[in-house]
Amino acid sequence: MGLEGAETAVQPQVTLLPTVNGSNPRYDGVDGHWPESPERSPCVAGIIPVIYYSVLLSLGLPVNVLTSVALARLAARTRKPSYHYLLALTASDIVTQVIIVFVGFLLQGAVLARQVPQAVVRTANILEFAANHASVWIAVLFTVDRYNALCRPLRHRATSSPGRTHRAIAAVIGVTLLTGIPFYWWLDVWRDADPPSTMDKLLKWAHCLIVYFIPCNVFLVTNSAIILRLRKRGQRGLRPLVSKSTAILLGVTSLFALLWAPRIIVMLYHLYVAPVHRDWRVHLALDIANMLAMLNTEVNFGLYCFISKTFRATVRQVICDVHMACALKSQPKQTVVELMLKSVGTEL
C-alpha cells in the first residue's frame, strides 16, 4: 500500500524464509542466510490504529468538507489565487482520507484483513501515491504563489488570475497521476520478507524524494526568502506586513514537515537497518509515523480558524445556512409558508 495499512491482531501462518543470494549489509553475520527467527514482527499497537483512523475519518472528512465549502465561497467572492490553492489542497486531503484512510487502512487492512487480490492492491497504490503527491505539490504551488506575491509583487499582479491558477492546479494533478503509475510495483513493507531489490529501493527513494525531500527544500528556500524580505522591511523602518495567506503558508508547510518527518525516517530505517517485517519496534514506529502523517490531512482547518477571522466568519455562515436549510425541511409546508410571509411582511 502507499501508506501501509495498520496490521490487525490476527497474524498469518509463519513460513520459513529462503536463503539470501549474495551479501547484504542488513544481514551481515548470518552466513548468507536469514536470521534464525523467521517470525513475523507482532503488531504491538493492537486495535489502536483502527480506532485512531476511524475517529480521524469520522471527524476529518466532515471538517474538510466544511473547509472546502467555506474556501469555495471565499474564492468566488474575492477571486484571490491563495483561496483557490487552499481549496485544491483541501480537496486533495479529502481524496487522501477516502483512498488511503478508508480504503487502505480501514477497509483493506482491518475489515478485509488484507485478503485482497494483488491487482486491486497494486491499482490502489497508484491512486494512493497520486493523492499524496497532489496534496504535497499543490502546497508547493501555494508556496511559489506567496513567494511571487511578496518578493515580485508587480509581476504577480500582472500575471495572476483564477484561470491561470486553475490551469496550474490541473497541470499538477495531471503530473501527480503520472508519478503514481510506477508505484504499481510498490512492495508492502509489512510483508516485505525478502531483501530490497533495486526496483524496491528506487521506488522507496522516489517516494521520499517526491513527497518530502524536494518539497521541503522548496518550502525552506521560499519561506526563507519571504522571512528575509519581511525582515528587510522592518530594518527600513517599514512595518513588516504579514498577510493572513503568508501566515497560513508558514503554518501549513511547517506542520507538513513535522508530521511527515517520522514516516520518512522510519521508511529509510526499514530500507537500510531493520525491516518492519522482522522488528516489532520498527513495526510500531511505522504505525505511529503513518498516524502522524495522516493527521496532516485535517489539522489545516484549525490552522485556518486560528489565523483568519474571515475564514471563521465564513465557516459560521456556512453552518448557519446548513442549519436553516435543515430547519426548513423539517417544518410542515404551511409553517414554512407562514414564516416566509411573516418575513416578507416584516420587510414591508
Side-chain angles (χ1 to χ4, degrees), residues 44-66:
V44 296
I47 65 169
I48 292 177
V50 177
I51 298 173
Y52 174 85
Y53 291 122
S54 300
V55 173
L56 187 75
L57 188 66
S58 60
L59 294 179
L61 200 56
V63 163
N64 278 334
V65 170
L66 175 62

Side-chain angles (χ1 to χ4, degrees), residues 227-299:
I227 293 172
L228 183 61
R229 177 83 173 192
L230 294 174
R231 283 185 176 179
K232 285 183 178 180
R233 287 178 58 90
Q235 290 174 356
R236 294 172 186 170
L238 300 174
R239 184 179 179 181
L241 180 62
V242 181
S243 66
K244 303 297 183 183
S245 298
T246 302
I248 288 175
L249 166 67
L250 297 176
V252 167
T253 54
S254 299
L255 284 173
F256 167 79
L258 289 174
L259 293 175
W260 269 83
R263 172 173 167 80
I264 301 303
I265 293 171
V266 175
M267 186 61 61
L268 296 178
Y269 190 88
H270 157 80
L271 197 60
Y272 292 105
V273 182
V276 172
H277 183 84
R278 307 188 63 81
D279 193 329
W280 68 267
R281 291 164 296 188
V282 185
H283 190 144
L284 177 61
L286 188 57
D287 273 334
I288 296 173
N290 284 339
M291 289 190 283
L292 289 175
M294 287 299 96
L295 182 62
N296 188 64
T297 61
E298 70 171 75
V299 294

Side-chain angles (χ1 to χ4, degrees), residues 46-278:
I47 65 169
I48 292 177
V50 177
I51 298 173
Y52 174 85
Y53 291 122
S54 300
V55 173
L56 187 75
L57 188 66
S58 60
L59 294 179
L61 200 56
V63 163
N64 278 334
V65 170
L66 175 62
T67 304
S68 64
V69 173
L71 289 173
R73 289 191 178 187
L74 290 171
R77 186 190 310 162
T78 64
R79 299 176 65 83
K80 290 183 178 179
S82 56
Y83 287 126
H84 291 273
Y85 287 123
L86 292 177
L87 177 59
L89 179 62
T90 305
S92 64
D93 284 341
I94 293 174
V95 174
T96 300
Q97 288 178 331
V98 172
I99 294 178
I100 297 180
V101 178
F102 177 69
V103 177
F105 284 117
L106 296 177
L107 185 60
Q108 180 187 328
V111 177
L112 301 178
R114 312 180 76 79
Q115 300 302 317
V116 182
Q118 192 68 14
V120 176
V121 174
R122 290 178 178 270
T123 303
N125 285 346
I126 297 175
L127 299 177
E128 291 179 4
F129 281 99
N132 273 336
H133 298 169
S135 179
V136 176
W137 283 90
I138 287 173
V140 171
L141 275 183
F142 179 44
T143 304
V144 174
D145 176 77
R146 286 294 86 206
Y147 169 80
N148 288 330
L150 287 171
C151 299
R152 301 175 181 176
L154 296 178
R155 180 180 177 182
H156 183 264
R157 291 172 186 171
T159 59
S160 65
S161 67
R164 186 184 182 93
T165 302
H166 294 162
R167 288 192 295 272
I169 293 172
V172 165
I173 292 174
V175 172
T176 53
L177 283 173
L178 293 177
T179 61
I181 294 176
F183 292 92
Y184 178 88
W185 293 275
W186 176 273
L187 292 179
D188 188 347
V189 299
W190 306 112
R191 300 185 178 185
D192 187 9
D194 296 326
S197 63
T198 302
M199 174 66 76
D200 192 31
K201 289 183 177 180
L202 287 175
L203 287 177
K204 285 182 170 58
W205 267 108
H207 171 63
C208 295
L209 287 170
I210 294 173
V211 85
Y212 192 78
F213 288 125
I214 296 176
C216 281
N217 280 326
V218 175
F219 296 153
L220 179 62
V221 172
T222 53
N223 288 349
S224 298
I226 290 172
I227 293 172
L228 183 61
R229 177 83 173 192
L230 294 174
R231 283 185 176 179
K232 285 183 178 180
R233 287 178 58 90
Q235 290 174 356
R236 294 172 186 170
L238 300 174
R239 184 179 179 181
L241 180 62
V242 181
S243 66
K244 303 297 183 183
S245 298
T246 302
I248 288 175
L249 166 67
L250 297 176
V252 167
T253 54
S254 299
L255 284 173
F256 167 79
L258 289 174
L259 293 175
W260 269 83
R263 172 173 167 80
I264 301 303
I265 293 171
V266 175
M267 186 61 61
L268 296 178
Y269 190 88
H270 157 80
L271 197 60
Y272 292 105
V273 182
V276 172
H277 183 84
R278 307 188 63 81

